């Protein structure tokens, strides 16, 4: 992979990392607001169980989205580390080059299409408990 392509992909990864950090900060604020709102309501009588349930469901939704974004941020950071180490663009499973088109579409990708497909089939059959090499 040439230096120009690598720099372009690095810029995409860094921009995505910045976006994810902003989104995570917004979700943290939303969680704080939901928690504060719930604390305010608990002090009085006449709270409706449905209101508490809705608030709790919203907190769970935000926490789930936050966990997904944290996982994506980790993948982006790992891709930037692979760039620094000189292993970016190499499949982490079969060690063959990942096509530039795939990297351009998903710059943080770790696996070539064949290995990704294999891992997804394995996960569908056996779940996430087993690691595949």
């Amino acid at each position: 992979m040439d230096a120009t392509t690598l720099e372009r992909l690095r810029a995409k990864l860094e921009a995505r990392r910045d976006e994810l950090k902003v989104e995570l900060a917004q979700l943290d604020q939303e969680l704080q607001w939901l928690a504060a709102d719930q604390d305010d309501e608990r002090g009085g009588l006449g709270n409706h169980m449905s209101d508490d349930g809705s608030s709790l469901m919203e907190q769970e939704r935000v926490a789930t989205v936050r966990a997904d974004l944290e996982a994506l941020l980790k993948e982006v950071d790992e891709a930037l580390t692979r760039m620094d180490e000189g292993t970016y663009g190499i499949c982490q499973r079969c060690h063959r080059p990942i096509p530039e088109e795939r990297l351009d579409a998903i710059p943080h990708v770790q696996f070539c299409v064949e290995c990704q497909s294999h891992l997804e089939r394995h996960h569908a059959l056996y779940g996430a408990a087993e690691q595949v090499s």
Side-chain angles (χ1 to χ4, degrees):
M1 180 177 319
D2 64 33
T4 305
T5 302
L6 199 59
E7 280 306 310
R8 181 176 49 79
L9 292 171
R10 178 182 291 279
K12 283 178 90 168
L13 285 166
E14 289 172 346
R16 184 63 179 135
R17 181 183 57 195
D18 293 343
E19 290 169 4
L20 289 167
K21 287 181 177 182
V22 167
E23 291 176 37
L24 285 166
Q26 290 171 341
L27 288 174
D28 285 343
Q29 287 178 340
E30 190 172 342
L31 278 173
Q32 288 176 357
W33 178 81
L34 287 168
D37 189 47
Q38 196 169 24
D39 285 344
D40 289 344
E41 290 180 5
R42 286 184 194 207
L45 297 174
N47 285 340
H48 296 283
M49 287 175 45
S50 63
D51 290 341
D52 288 343
S54 294
S55 180
L56 192 58
M57 255 181 44
E58 185 63 15
Q59 286 177 341
E60 288 178 8
R61 183 197 64 80
V62 171
T64 300
V65 170
R66 190 180 195 300
D68 290 345
L69 291 178
E70 283 178 333
L72 183 55
L73 179 60
K74 182 180 176 195
E75 289 178 16
V76 168
D77 285 339
E78 288 172 351
L80 288 166
T81 299
R82 288 192 303 274
M83 277 186 172
D84 294 340
E85 294 172 347
T87 60
Y88 180 77
I90 305 297
C91 178
Q92 301 294 297
R93 183 172 178 266
C94 71
H95 307 290
R96 292 184 299 209
I98 299 171
E100 276 186 39
E101 297 82 20
R102 180 162 169 78
L103 292 169
D104 199 38
I106 313 169
H108 61 274
V109 73
Q110 300 177 54
F111 305 107
C112 65
V113 172
E114 294 82 14
C115 289
Q116 184 70 46
S117 177
H118 173 80
L119 292 170
E120 288 174 5
R121 281 192 314 271
H122 189 275
H123 179 74
L125 289 172
Y126 304 109
E130 294 185 39
Q131 291 290 342
V132 180
S133 56

